[in-house]
């Protein structure tokens, strides 16, 4: 019985981990407006670019990081 419960727990953990998505936040700068924003999807257009080292694990980290990125604090 213990082996069955342990096996079920391991399988459940593995399945849950496989479906978990890691969300990243990016600090991007618009080429025309020169403004920085935070997005949760990697930019695919040429009008916005990820600035400096602007990839973060949480939105809070991205907000803090954006304040320290020089091109974002100039405007």
């Amino acid at each position: 019985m213990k082996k069955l419960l342990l096996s079920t727990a391991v399988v459940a953990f593995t399945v849950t981990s496989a479906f978990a998505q890691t969300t990243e936040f990016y600090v991007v700068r618009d080429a025309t407006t020169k403004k920085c924003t935070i997005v949760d999807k990697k930019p695919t257009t040429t009008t916005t670019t990820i600035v400096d080292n602007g990839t973060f694990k949480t939105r809070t980290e991205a907000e803090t990081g954006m304040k320290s990125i020089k091109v974002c604090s100039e405007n």
Side-chain angles (χ1 to χ4, degrees):
M1 184 71 159
K2 286 183 181 180
K3 287 183 180 180
L4 178 63
L5 289 174
L6 183 60
S7 297
T8 303
V10 169
V11 169
F13 177 76
T14 304
V15 169
T16 304
S17 297
F19 287 114
Q21 293 182 355
T22 56
T23 302
E24 291 185 323
F25 293 89
Y26 302 91
V27 176
V28 297
R29 185 172 186 225
D30 187 286
T32 55
T33 64
K34 309 289 189 218
K35 301 246 184 215
C36 294
T37 56
I38 298 170
V39 296
D40 62 353
K41 290 185 176 39
K42 193 169 187 173
T44 57
T45 64
T46 56
T47 59
T48 58
T49 56
I50 299 173
V51 289
D52 197 24
N53 155 14
T55 305
F56 301 91
K57 292 184 181 198
T58 66
R59 185 167 193 84
T60 304
E61 287 177 0
E63 290 168 352
T64 303
M66 188 166 76
K67 292 175 187 172
S68 66
I69 295 173
K70 188 176 180 179
V71 295
C72 294
S73 61
E74 289 175 347
N75 293 333

